[in-house]
Amino acid sequence: MIAGRNAASYPEVTPGKRSVPFAITFTHPNVAVIGKIAKDEDTDSVIGTASYDDQGRAKVEACNAGLVRFYADRRDGRLTGATMAGPAVEHSAHLIAWAIQSGWTATEVLDLPFYHPTFEEGMKDALRSICAEVHAPTPPDRDDGFTPGT
């Protein structure tokens, strides 16, 4: 779109704002890839993982198979990317794309409300593990980390 607009208005070109890379594959379960995907050996990044095996809403709806991996900067836990395969991740993926594009940390995402029972709460373990790895706080008034199935 940016290139087409600039070609049509040349020589008056306008730089466009780039969004975070974001792809969704509508399969069963859905798959999403967002932002920069770090490799396991990347020492500048941390990886937080969460399974849907014990996620409350997914268990009730008999679709509790899936995994999310969030990638974050090791210095501060700022989210940089995600790979997601699981129930309704096309919805969660949008939220994570917004968080990455906004420059949010795992702590800042955990400080937002996660309603119960939703598939989105299945992401919390991955965010918590990033916080633990980078020694960042988890919000005590929002997320105590002990709720079963979240």
Side-chain angles (χ1 to χ4, degrees):
M1 181 190 86
I2 296 167
R5 183 185 66 227
N6 283 332
S9 63
Y10 186 81
E12 295 180 31
V13 297
T14 307
K17 182 176 179 182
R18 302 277 181 184
S19 297
V20 64
F22 182 18
I24 299 174
T25 305
F26 294 97
T27 54
H28 188 71
N30 293 321
V31 175
V33 179
I34 309 152
K36 178 185 168 209
I37 307 307
K39 295 182 172 35
D40 289 333
E41 62 273 5
D42 183 356
T43 58
D44 294 333
S45 296
V46 295
I47 300 171
T49 304
S51 170
Y52 281 90
D53 290 348
D54 190 36
Q55 202 274 331
R57 174 83 177 257
K59 284 172 73 172
V60 168
E61 294 193 18
C63 59
N64 57 316
L67 185 74
V68 298
R69 290 184 86 182
F70 293 152
Y71 308 93
D73 188 298
R74 180 172 297 284
R75 293 170 293 180
D76 58 6
R78 192 161 312 285
L79 298 177
T80 58
T83 52
M84 307 170 77
V89 298
E90 74 274 18
H91 303 292
S92 307
H94 278 93
L95 304 175
I96 296 303
W98 295 342
I100 293 168
Q101 189 158 325
S102 298
W104 292 354
T105 65
T107 299
E108 290 170 319
V109 175
L110 281 172
D111 197 32
L112 299 170
F114 283 81
Y115 297 98
H116 177 77
T118 63
F119 292 118
E120 287 76 14
E121 5 175 47
M123 303 184 303
K124 291 168 74 174
D125 282 343
L127 296 165
R128 287 185 198 120
S129 65
I130 288 170
C131 290
E133 181 92 15
V134 302
H135 307 290
T138 55
D141 59 333
R142 293 265 193 197
D143 186 76
D144 62 10
F146 296 107
T147 307
T150 61

